[in-house]
Amino acid sequence: MKSDIEIAQECVLEPITEVAEKFGIDKNALELYGKYKAKLSDELYENSKANKDAKLVLVTAINPTPAGEGKTTTTIGLAQGLNLIGVKALVALREPSLGPCMGIKGGAAGGGYAQVVPMDDINLHFTGDIHAITTANNLLSSMIDNHIFRGNELDIDTNNITWKRAVDLNDRSLRNVVIGIGDKNGVVREDGFMITVASEIMAIVCLAEDICDLKEKLGKIIIGYNRSGKPVTAKDLKADGAMAALLKDAIKPNMVQTLEHTPAIIHGGPFANIAHGCNSIKATKTAMKLADVVITEAGFGADLGAEKFFDIKCRKAGLKPDAAVLVATVRALKYNGGVPKADLTKPNTEAVKAGFVNLEKHIENLQKFGVPVIVTLNSFITDTAEEVEFIRSRCEQMGADFALSEVWAKGGEGGKALAQKVMEVLENKTSRFKPIYDENDSIVNKINTICKEIYGAAKVEFLPKVKKQIAGLEELGLDKMPVCIAKTQYSLSDDPKLLGRPDGFTVTIKEIRVSAGAGFIVALAGDIMTMPGLPKTPAAENIDVDKNGKITGLF
């Protein structure tokens, strides 16, 4: 069996100008980064605003398992399948982070015959967006500490600085650091790093409509508080203009292609377990002006990415998704049913029945947002007809449509059945989308709604310091925003070991932060961290490059 990278390397890429031309995009609207990558100009979006909006379909998944679900692969393959049946479809994805690429996950450009290419470029530095975000983040950090060193006119409380530095790598040793050590090296204080994709600036880039909106949002970033307890912003430090200048190109969406030369817009990369998990508003809205159907995705399971897509991204962008595709595999359901990873390829309908409860909860959750749901199974040769039929029957009993997907093995051809089912739903079912809570409700009520309605928690516990943090935000009038909960992706609960559909559990909120620039409140649940660590055997150990510059081991 060929590896993903071998399949990608067999592909004869078309110049991105030719890929774009098929969708009516003039080459003058592209800002080229070599032959196969380009940024879409601001003029393209402005000139296409009069076009009718495409139908918008979200691809999400059950909670991830070691068996793999193939959400990105399905997203890409569905777009390819739609184009094969005569539907003008674009795919809009997030950019991979170098952290997981070099850590435990490897690359994130799809798989098999449903990939975006050039895969190596996309997985590594791409067009430099994430590096620009890292630099803008750390410029603000350096200006904070320089301001304090130069006399601290804003009276910043050095014990109450909430802004962290960033790097787009997994490095646990940087979670907590002390800076300023040594003579004339600034004020000594505790600081720390987060991974760039968890930075508020990443969220801002993904939620900004244009450069002016970007600068305004950057200026609202709260870096900490003065000794009187009042917030200090990036604009107070006069950092917003320079940060916006660093991001002037990063805010523009990127275009590449799938293995079948379908245009793919890839832009922005916030994680869904510690951030809001969606590609940029600008990328999605641009795609919706260039196609008849746009397929996008949100990170990890529907309890994280989909909830944040609906409650944060769609709310802020005024988007009304037309349907949701929920990805699962027979193997993943067996894992949720208690089967060890080594035995997942063995027929076991009873384990599928036991593990279906995880899929069941995600179907229910998506239906709460008022969108039609299509469940798709990533097909494997080890799946039995009995296992598949049980899943199909239960999904349809719940009011969800169902289709098999074979996009990994067959590309767009293997996505035709799913594509046809999606079009059937778009033509015959009406989305009645609505967010699950009112953003003007109290912080406590919003968190309770997500934890109880989406996760299935019996109770939410707020630590004493969290209650003080909430009271402080309410006093400052910073409570009327959506909530972004950071929690483990592996379970509906905040305990990664609780598989299936746990009940009777308590979600513990350990910290509250405000991302005033992005316009949401972050609640940290369980033991989630904003700077991951490397595994015992990092993926980086397997990556190499030969004398011709050919990369191996990146998948």
Side-chain angles (χ1 to χ4, degrees):
M1 184 181 293
K2 294 178 182 177
S3 68
D4 290 348
I5 196 164
E6 288 172 332
I7 292 170
Q9 288 171 344
E10 287 178 354
C11 175
V12 178
L13 277 73
E14 293 183 352
I16 196 63
T17 51
E18 295 180 13
V19 174
E21 188 178 8
K22 296 175 187 176
F23 273 65
I25 304 170
D26 188 89
K27 64 181 180 181
N28 294 318
L30 303 178
E31 298 175 4
L32 299 177
Y33 283 64
K35 289 183 180 179
Y36 308 115
K37 299 173 292 183
K39 281 192 168 290
L40 301 178
S41 69
D42 293 330
E43 291 75 19
L44 173 66
Y45 179 61
E46 290 300 321
N47 293 338
S48 63
K49 278 186 174 180
N51 296 351
K52 182 181 177 181
D53 280 338
K55 296 284 189 178
L56 180 61
V57 178
L58 173 72
V59 178
T60 184
I62 63 173
N63 293 98
T65 70
E69 286 64 57
K71 174 162 51 66
T72 302
T73 301
T74 301
T75 306
I76 296 164
L78 172 55
Q80 292 180 155
L82 285 165
N83 280 285
L84 283 183
I85 65 171
V87 178
K88 188 179 180 183
L90 275 175
V91 60
L93 302 168
R94 293 174 299 155
E95 301 178 43
S97 163
L98 280 173
C101 284
M102 298 294 169
I104 195 169
K105 186 178 178 182
Y113 288 90
Q115 298 185 54
V116 283
V117 284
M119 184 185 71
D120 292 350
D121 289 1
I122 295 165
N123 278 322
L124 296 178
H125 305 289
F126 202 18
T127 57
D129 293 346
I130 295 182
H131 296 315
I133 290 167
T134 302
T135 304
N137 186 104
N138 293 337
L139 170 65
L140 181 54
S141 289
S142 66
M143 290 183 72
I144 292 167
D145 287 298
N146 182 65
H147 181 88
I148 295 168
F149 179 73
R150 298 294 180 183
N152 198 5
E153 182 183 347
L154 294 172
D155 198 29
I156 297 170
D157 182 353
T158 56
N159 294 315
N160 201 4
I161 295 174
T162 54
W163 190 253
K164 302 290 185 182
R165 286 168 159 82
V167 63
D168 191 40
L169 290 170
N170 296 3
D171 193 346
R172 63 173 56 82
S173 63
L174 293 177
R175 288 172 183 160
N176 296 289
V177 300
V178 177
I179 62 171
I181 297 174
D183 187 36
K184 297 182 180 179
N185 290 334
V187 175
V188 177
R189 68 177 182 89
E190 292 183 7
D191 199 357
F193 282 74
M194 61 174 58
I195 192 166
T196 300
V197 287
S199 167
E200 184 178 353
I201 295 180
M202 173 61 83
I204 288 172
V205 167
C206 289
L207 294 171
E209 296 274 0
D210 53 41
I211 190 69
C212 294
D213 187 34
L214 175 73
K215 182 180 174 182
E216 182 180 352
K217 284 178 165 61
L218 292 170
K220 292 178 180 178
I221 291 172
I222 294 174
I223 62 93
Y225 300 84
N226 64 21
R227 290 188 179 92
S228 300
K230 302 297 183 185
V232 179
T233 67
K235 188 172 184 178
D236 292 333
L237 288 161
K238 301 177 183 177
D240 50 330
M243 292 162 69
L246 288 169
L247 298 167
K248 71 177 182 66
D249 292 320
I251 194 178
K252 298 174 183 176
N254 309 293
M255 177 174 281
V256 287
Q257 62 191 287
T258 73
L259 292 179
E260 297 178 11
H261 314 302
T262 298
I265 299 179
I266 302 181
H267 191 223
F271 285 168
N273 59 343
I274 50 180
H276 77 287
C278 305
N279 72 329
S280 74
I281 286 174
K282 194 168 185 182
T284 301
K285 284 192 169 183
T286 300
M288 290 176 69
K289 295 297 184 181
L290 302 174
D292 296 323
V293 177
V294 170
I295 310 298
T296 191
E297 66 160 357
F300 293 124
D303 55 319
L304 289 170
E307 184 273 316
K308 295 170 184 179
F309 174 83
F310 293 139
D311 280 327
I312 297 176
K313 179 177 177 177
C314 290
R315 189 194 305 265
K316 290 188 173 295
L319 298 173
K320 294 181 179 180
D322 296 281
V325 174
L326 180 56
V327 181
T329 64
V330 169
R331 300 188 306 178
L333 295 183
K334 290 177 186 175
Y335 186 82
N336 272 285
V339 175
K341 184 179 178 182
D343 297 330
L344 295 176
T345 57
K346 298 177 182 178
N348 193 334
T349 304
E350 291 307 309
V352 171
K353 291 178 180 179
F356 183 84
V357 292
N358 186 266
L359 176 57
E360 176 184 67
K361 176 60 175 165
H362 288 295
I363 294 172
E364 291 175 4
N365 285 346
L366 292 172
Q367 290 172 336
K368 289 177 182 180
F369 289 98
V371 295
V373 180
I374 305 109
V375 174
T376 187
L377 281 184
N378 253 337
S379 184
F380 289 83
I381 58 172
T382 55
D383 301 345
T384 69
E386 184 182 4
E387 291 167 339
V388 172
E389 184 52 37
F390 169 78
I391 297 167
R392 178 197 302 273
S393 175
R394 286 290 294 115
C395 290
E396 291 177 349
Q397 286 173 19
M398 295 184 68
D401 286 86
F402 180 90
L404 282 175
S405 169
E406 299 178 280
V407 298
W408 191 94
K410 300 179 182 179
E413 192 66 32
K416 277 186 174 180
L418 176 58
Q420 288 164 348
K421 180 60 69 174
V422 166
M423 291 310 299
E424 179 185 319
V425 168
L426 292 179
E427 290 165 3
N428 296 296
K429 293 189 177 182
T430 302
S431 173
R432 294 178 174 81
F433 168 72
K434 64 181 185 308
I436 203 166
Y437 60 80
D438 183 343
E439 66 181 327
N440 293 315
D441 204 348
S442 70
I443 294 174
V444 168
N445 285 348
K446 286 180 283 197
I447 292 174
N448 268 302
T449 298
I450 297 170
C451 292
K452 293 179 180 180
E453 290 292 323
I454 302 300
Y455 308 158
K459 180 183 176 184
V460 181
E461 180 182 353
F462 298 86
L463 296 187
K465 75 168 187 177
V466 171
K467 293 177 181 178
K468 291 181 180 178
Q469 291 167 339
I470 291 174
L473 293 181
E474 289 173 342
E475 186 177 339
L476 293 168
L478 295 171
D479 56 326
K480 306 305 181 187
M481 307 179 192
V483 170
C484 179
I485 298 183
K487 78 166 186 73
T488 180
Q489 65 269 34
Y490 297 115
S491 171
L492 284 159
S493 73
D494 59 355
D495 180 352
K497 296 178 182 178
L498 294 180
L499 303 181
R501 183 176 182 168
D503 58 17
F505 62 89
T506 298
V507 171
T508 303
I509 305 298
K510 296 187 173 181
E511 187 176 350
I512 293 286
R513 301 172 183 170
V514 61
S515 293
F520 56 70
I521 295 156
V522 180
L524 275 65
D527 295 323
I528 196 72
M529 293 183 177
T530 55
M531 169 55 81
L534 290 172
K536 185 175 182 180
T537 305
E541 292 184 9
N542 301 315
I543 299 172
D544 203 356
V545 60
D546 66 18
K547 64 181 181 180
N548 298 313
K550 181 179 178 181
I551 295 172
T552 58
L554 180 65
F555 58 89

